[in-house]
Amino acid sequence: MRAVRLIGLAGWSGAGKTTLMTRLIPELAARGVGVSTLKHAHHAFDVDRPGKDSYEHRSAGARQVLVASAHRWALMTEHRGAPEPGLSELLPRFDPVDLVIVEGFKRDAHPKIEVHRGANAKPWLHPDDPFIAAIASDVASPAGHLPHAHLDDIAAIADLVLQHATPLDAFLTRG
């Protein structure tokens, strides 16, 4: 098996990261690339619902609850006051795959493709982030030195992803 590789999609809210991700995954899969994703949430979220047994287990104080069926399994871990885990703590939890794409974690030191939408009127990230390797945008970057693909050109963005993804082990050993 090839080494697991890592790339991120970073940008401000409303730039189209999730939409791009849902279009990019099938393109990469069609190329034979196995993909897993890690999504950062800035808000409280819950994958469970009150009244379900697993929710009740967590509410009672369980630190971890694993729910399994014939179709999938999910492990929920409660921080219970511990600090939010960073990328280097979360990434090793994945099963081996060809590529992990991180959505969010825009301030972390991993290779990223900046997702930028002109209508958002938000500042570019790449002038201040040396880990941005390429840009996916509907407008030209003011600093034209980075590889660029239009947000609607999924094949070109997939090429950028594959060109700029780095081995996960290299990221993890940097500390």
Side-chain angles (χ1 to χ4, degrees):
M1 178 180 220
R2 292 175 289 189
V4 177
R5 295 174 53 198
L6 170 70
I7 191 81
L9 299 181
W12 299 106
S13 178
K17 296 180 301 294
T18 300
T19 299
L20 176 57
M21 185 80 85
T22 62
R23 295 176 70 198
L24 193 55
I25 294 167
E27 171 70 23
L28 291 164
R31 296 181 187 199
V33 178
V35 177
S36 291
T37 65
L38 192 160
K39 165 73 174 128
H40 185 261
H42 290 284
H43 47 81
F45 74 95
D46 203 332
V47 296
D48 214 353
R49 293 191 324 257
K52 293 296 185 183
D53 293 347
S54 52
Y55 184 92
E56 299 305 323
H57 295 183
R58 289 187 306 122
S59 293
R63 185 164 175 265
Q64 290 188 307
V65 176
L66 194 145
V67 181
S69 75
H71 301 284
R72 70 190 54 88
W73 64 270
L75 176 63
M76 294 172 280
T77 302
E78 293 293 320
H79 295 308
R80 304 269 183 235
E84 179 180 355
L87 270 180
S88 60
E89 192 175 341
L90 295 169
L91 289 166
R93 297 178 183 266
F94 279 105
D95 289 341
V97 68
D98 298 315
L99 178 68
V100 174
I101 304 175
V102 175
E103 180 182 337
F105 291 92
K106 69 178 169 244
R107 300 291 178 214
D108 284 71
H110 61 287
K112 296 175 268 245
I113 294 177
E114 180 171 358
V115 180
H116 184 89
R117 186 170 303 280
N120 262 6
K122 297 278 190 180
W124 291 88
L125 299 175
H126 68 274
D128 299 319
D129 185 344
F131 297 100
I132 292 178
I135 296 171
S137 178
D138 59 352
V139 296
S141 164
H145 64 282
L146 291 175
H148 177 277
H150 193 277
L151 275 174
D152 291 328
D153 191 346
I154 302 304
I157 297 170
D159 290 341
L160 291 174
V161 163
L162 295 173
Q163 289 166 12
H164 296 286
T166 191
L168 178 59
D169 288 345
F171 171 76
L172 294 174
T173 57
R174 278 196 321 228

